[in-house]
Amino acid sequence: MVGLLLLMLPELAWEYQLLGFAAFSVVSIVVWHLVLKRHPTVSDQPKLNRRGEQYVDRVFTLDEPIVNGQGRIRVDDSTWKIHGSDCAAGVQVKVIGVDGVVLKVDIHT
C-alpha cells in the first residue's frame, strides 16, 4: 500500500511513508480480525494444542488414592493433577472435564 502511495506521490517524505505503513498495518490487522471472527478457521484436529481436553471421556486406573478431593494420575507419559471424589488406589476413574491443568474425574462404573 505504501508502495502504491509512493507511486502517486513520489516526493513523499520517509516520515510520512513510515506513518502510512503503521496506519495500513493497524487497519489490516483490524480487518483480518473481523474476517476471522465471521469466518473462523475449521480444523480437522480442534484439540491439538489443548492437551487436557484430549483426555476427556477416557478411563484411567488410579495409582494412588484421591484424598480430600485431590490427587495425581499417570496419563500416557506425564502426570496430571486431578480433582474428584475421594477413592482408593486401583479404582477406575473417567475424565469428565478440564480446569486449566487439572483434570476433573469421576468414578467409572
Side-chain angles (χ1 to χ4, degrees), residues 32-52:
W32 187 247
H33 179 71
L34 292 174
V35 167
L36 282 180
K37 199 172 189 179
R38 289 192 181 122
H39 307 287
T41 305
V42 179
S43 172
D44 59 337
Q45 297 177 337
K47 298 179 182 178
L48 181 63
N49 291 323
R50 297 178 184 161
R51 192 168 174 204

Side-chain angles (χ1 to χ4, degrees), residues 2-3 5-6 9-23:
V2 174
L5 184 62
L6 201 53
L9 302 168
E11 70 283 346
L12 191 63
W14 69 270
E15 294 91 350
Y16 293 116
Q17 293 177 36
L18 189 60
L19 187 63
F21 176 78

Side-chain angles (χ1 to χ4, degrees), residues 57-60 91-96 105-109:
D57 291 333
R58 285 186 57 187
V59 177
F60 300 99
V91 173
Q92 287 192 328
V93 293
K94 182 176 183 178
V95 178
I96 57 172
V105 297
D106 196 13
I107 298 173
H108 183 67
T109 55

Side-chain angles (χ1 to χ4, degrees), residues 13-83:
W14 69 270
E15 294 91 350
Y16 293 116
Q17 293 177 36
L18 189 60
L19 187 63
F21 176 78
F24 290 135
S25 296
V26 170
V27 169
S28 68
I29 289 170
V30 169
V31 168
W32 187 247
H33 179 71
L34 292 174
V35 167
L36 282 180
K37 199 172 189 179
R38 289 192 181 122
H39 307 287
T41 305
V42 179
S43 172
D44 59 337
Q45 297 177 337
K47 298 179 182 178
L48 181 63
N49 291 323
R50 297 178 184 161
R51 192 168 174 204
E53 290 181 18
Q54 295 176 5
Y55 300 130
V56 174
D57 291 333
R58 285 186 57 187
V59 177
F60 300 99
T61 303
L62 292 175
D63 293 331
E64 43 188 84
I66 298 176
V67 179
N68 295 327
Q70 297 183 6
R72 293 192 166 277
I73 192 169
R74 183 124 178 98
V75 178
D76 298 334
D77 62 346
S78 60
T79 303
W80 286 76
K81 281 185 174 182
I82 57 173
H83 283 206

